[in-house]
Amino acid sequence: MLTADAVSLHAYQQGEGPRLDPRTGELIFVDIAGHTLHRSRLSGGTLVPVGRYDLGEPVGAVAPLAAPGAGWLVAVTDGFVHLAEDGTRTVLHAGLAADHGQMNDGACDPAGRFHCGSQSRLRQPVARLHRLDTDGSVHVALTGVTVSNGIGFTADGTTMYYIDTLPARSLESFDVHPDGSLGRRRTVTRVAGGNPDGLAVDDEGGIWVAVWDGWAVHRYAPDGRLLAEVRLPVARPTAVAFAGSTLLVTTAYHGLDAAQRAAQPDAGRIFAVDAGVGGPAAHPWRGRPPLR
């Protein structure tokens, strides 16, 4: 069993969606309930804040663009925006989740397409998984979703791992066709002990899954075998990302009552563990930033 240490100086209400920006080596992540996007750099065992952006609304996920200095693609309440380094926001698409809830987790595949899902406010299967292609067009990739969460890809981009947290609490996989569309859905494993949330795929093909209310991160083989477990001193790990062989884990204190907060003083902080295996930085979105 692996153990993790807190590395962030601050606690975040609902830290989520960590990604290592390949252009800068910075960890980028969001605080969904805090309506913010954060940039940090791991130095001497501590995550040092580099930048903070207040989006003024729930923020579900972030992906770097490919070019240095080109900013980030951000999933906000009901669509996608481009965020420039100076904080300028440009709406790319809106209304994608306005009828049922809000946008949630997302990630780019190796071809540079952004796959991002929504979650249902009423926890009904009315949410969707969307794909934002490099030409800027949006496509509905999957319907009947309840709480779209973890998304990750094999190195060759032919398989997508995916979590719709409710009701099955399972890790699934899809074939990814050359145009980015999905096929051959199957269940990899049911995740025990809590609600599966964000995920990352390592260099050996293992899938690391944060387990909300499970006090743990699980590592699964592609055939569903549980290979390893990281125990945490907080109940709500939300997502994971690699910085070399260091696995970084975002957590949340959102929804905890006063007694639970007192019993979990590190809730909301970011943790690190030596995973014993490396993992890639985030794949960038290869679309063009808006002209300014």
Side-chain angles (χ1 to χ4, degrees):
M1 184 180 298
L2 302 173
T3 57
D5 298 313
V7 293
S8 65
L9 301 173
H10 305 287
Y12 302 93
Q13 187 174 352
Q14 197 174 2
E16 258 283 11
R19 302 283 182 261
L20 191 72
D21 191 326
R23 304 169 300 180
T24 62
E26 295 173 356
L27 184 75
I28 51 177
F29 62 96
V30 304
D31 184 341
I32 296 176
H35 302 175
T36 49
L37 184 150
H38 298 266
R39 300 163 57 192
S40 294
R41 183 175 294 277
L42 192 61
S43 176
T46 300
L47 268 178
V48 180
V50 173
R52 177 184 184 275
Y53 302 89
D54 189 342
L55 278 296
E57 60 179 316
V59 190
V62 58
L65 269 69
W72 304 272
L73 176 66
V74 185
V76 293
T77 308
D78 70 344
F80 302 131
V81 301
H82 173 259
L83 178 68
E85 287 193 347
D86 66 2
T88 301
R89 289 178 51 178
T90 303
V91 176
L92 303 180
H93 291 277
L96 301 182
D99 60 340
H100 64 269
Q102 66 188 51
M103 299 301 291
N104 203 39
D105 204 0
C108 289
D109 63 26
R113 299 169 293 229
F114 187 53
H115 303 250
C116 185
S118 59
Q119 58 174 314
S120 164
R121 186 180 299 108
L122 299 178
R123 297 301 189 250
Q124 298 296 319
V126 293
R128 298 176 284 270
L129 177 67
H130 295 88
R131 186 185 77 249
L132 176 61
D133 283 349
T134 58
D135 64 0
S137 61
V138 173
H139 309 268
V140 176
L142 187 66
T143 60
V145 173
T146 303
V147 180
S148 186
N149 257 315
I151 298 172
F153 298 87
T154 54
D156 63 6
T158 62
T159 299
M160 183 182 83
Y161 292 105
Y162 179 65
I163 289 169
D164 177 2
T165 298
L166 301 175
R169 294 179 172 84
S170 295
L171 171 64
E172 298 181 287
S173 65
F174 291 84
D175 290 341
V176 182
H177 298 143
D179 65 355
S181 61
L182 305 177
R184 203 169 69 91
R185 183 177 191 171
R186 60 266 192 203
T187 298
V188 176
T189 187
R190 180 175 172 84
V191 177
N195 294 323
D197 203 330
L199 67 82
V201 182
D202 65 37
D203 291 337
E204 296 178 353
I207 309 103
W208 299 76
V209 178
V211 188
W212 173 279
D213 280 342
W215 305 75
V217 174
H218 295 171
R219 183 190 186 218
Y220 295 100
D223 63 7
R225 288 175 295 125
L226 180 63
L227 299 177
E229 183 179 48
V230 181
R231 297 301 300 176
L232 295 162
V234 297
R236 292 184 165 173
T238 58
V240 291
F242 280 96
S245 62
T246 298
L247 185 74
L248 294 164
V249 185
T250 50
T251 72
Y253 64 80
H254 182 70
L256 299 179
D257 61 28
Q260 291 170 321
R261 286 288 307 277
Q264 301 174 46
D266 287 332
R269 295 178 70 186
I270 298 173
F271 290 78
V273 60
D274 183 355
V277 60
H283 299 297
W285 183 56
R286 297 194 177 277
R288 291 188 177 183
L291 297 176
R292 298 177 59 193

